[in-house]
Amino acid sequence: MKTIVLVKDGELADYPADILVNGEVRKSYNLEFECEKLEIKMVIGRSMPSDVIKKLRDNGIIFMKINSLEELEDLDLDITFPDEFKNRRGWKCGKKGF
């Protein structure tokens, strides 16, 4: 499942934020457009306004609310994180991309 992670300064972030997709962090000025263009099926972040969640849901995209990147370790998602994320304090190694 193609996934976008909302990030800011190498950490999980609230919407609006940069996006991490295919192991690359990039600016996102229109999340809906990015999701459609990249055929994304899931967006992961700390929080997002309900109207944006509704727009994503109407397009068949799931929003997953988590509090930290470490919570992704137990999930079987194929997400690749750049080295700048791995050098953070408290980073744990393990599954794909971690």
Side-chain angles (χ1 to χ4, degrees):
M1 179 181 298
K2 291 190 85 173
T3 306
I4 282 180
V5 179
L6 301 176
V7 295
K8 189 173 229 164
D9 300 326
E11 295 181 357
L12 189 67
D14 303 327
Y15 177 84
D18 297 338
I19 60 172
L20 172 66
V21 62
N22 298 330
E24 174 187 343
V25 177
R26 41 200 236 194
K27 298 283 183 200
S28 173
Y29 300 103
N30 186 336
L31 183 62
E32 291 174 70
F33 174 76
E34 293 284 344
C35 288
E36 185 177 316
K37 181 176 83 173
L38 299 169
E39 299 178 2
I40 298 299
K41 297 296 177 198
M42 181 184 295
V43 177
I44 298 173
R46 279 199 318 221
S47 70
M48 182 179 286
S50 58
D51 61 319
V52 178
I53 293 173
K54 182 176 180 344
K55 287 180 187 177
L56 292 176
R57 193 177 297 146
D58 290 345
N59 291 322
I61 300 166
I62 301 165
F63 174 69
M64 180 187 290
K65 180 185 184 316
I66 61 172
N67 294 315
S68 69
L69 292 174
E70 285 78 22
E71 289 182 32
L72 291 175
E73 286 183 9
D74 296 330
L75 304 174
D76 190 23
L77 298 173
D78 190 14
I79 301 172
T80 304
F81 288 93
D83 290 338
E84 64 197 56
F85 285 78
K86 296 174 187 170
N87 295 329
R88 291 269 179 218
R89 196 174 124 234
W91 185 265
K92 298 176 183 173
C93 296
K95 291 192 176 184
K96 302 174 194 172
F98 287 93

